[in-house]
Amino acid sequence: MARVLKNKELVNTRLATNYGGWMYCDTCNENIGYLCYSTYDRLELKYQCNCGSQGRAVLDFEDSKMGQTCKDELIMIKNRFCCPKDSEPLITILDKKVASYEMKITCKSCESIYTKAK
């Protein structure tokens, strides 16, 4: 079932679809990552692309839960950051395409808020 977005703020960023799929820098059109459609509940991402552009993405849904901050680290499976509790893939950030990033992502199934930065 499709989810209904409550907030969608994209700055110098575009998504392949409404709330997931491939993520691109609007300035250079480089692919910077992949946001898994159905496993996240909220995303806050700030990044600097290798082209120098500053990008931002904030997405959440009408049925998003508040979530609780978690000190656990996301785990890497193949090239995706995954929830350490259920190994569900959440997001891929292509390190070679971004100079830096700060991210908060909430897992839909366990409602944990994970942070990651480069």
Side-chain angles (χ1 to χ4, degrees):
M1 179 168 94
R3 299 181 77 192
V4 177
L5 280 167
K6 182 169 96 176
N7 296 303
K8 181 178 181 179
E9 177 189 336
L10 300 175
V11 177
N12 294 328
T13 305
R14 74 178 192 286
L15 295 171
T17 64
N18 193 28
Y19 56 84
W22 294 107
M23 299 183 296
Y24 299 91
C25 170
D26 259 353
T27 303
C28 67
N29 292 315
E30 283 290 331
N31 177 347
I32 59 149
Y34 184 85
L35 181 59
C36 299
Y37 295 91
S38 61
T39 56
Y40 80 96
D41 216 17
R42 178 174 173 76
L43 171 70
E44 293 178 44
L45 173 68
K46 289 191 282 190
Y47 68 92
Q48 181 172 340
C49 182
N50 286 340
C51 75
S53 176
Q54 302 267 337
R56 178 174 163 84
V58 176
L59 297 144
D60 69 357
F61 302 92
E62 287 186 355
D63 64 348
S64 289
K65 306 287 190 264
M66 185 64 104
Q68 59 268 1
T69 303
C70 178
K71 292 187 185 209
D72 294 340
E73 294 284 325
L74 291 165
I75 58 172
M76 184 71 78
I77 299 176
K78 298 196 175 172
N79 66 342
R80 295 203 172 154
F81 288 116
C82 300
C83 176
K85 294 178 178 138
D86 60 12
S87 299
E88 285 288 333
L90 297 170
I91 191 169
T92 299
I93 302 291
L94 299 174
D95 273 351
K96 63 185 178 187
K97 302 289 181 85
V98 295
S100 63
Y101 66 86
E102 294 177 16
M103 172 180 64
K104 277 187 187 180
I105 192 163
T106 305
C107 176
K108 184 179 176 191
S109 65
C110 74
E111 299 176 13
S112 293
I113 301 169
Y114 298 100
T115 59
K116 187 77 178 163
K118 169 188 170 187

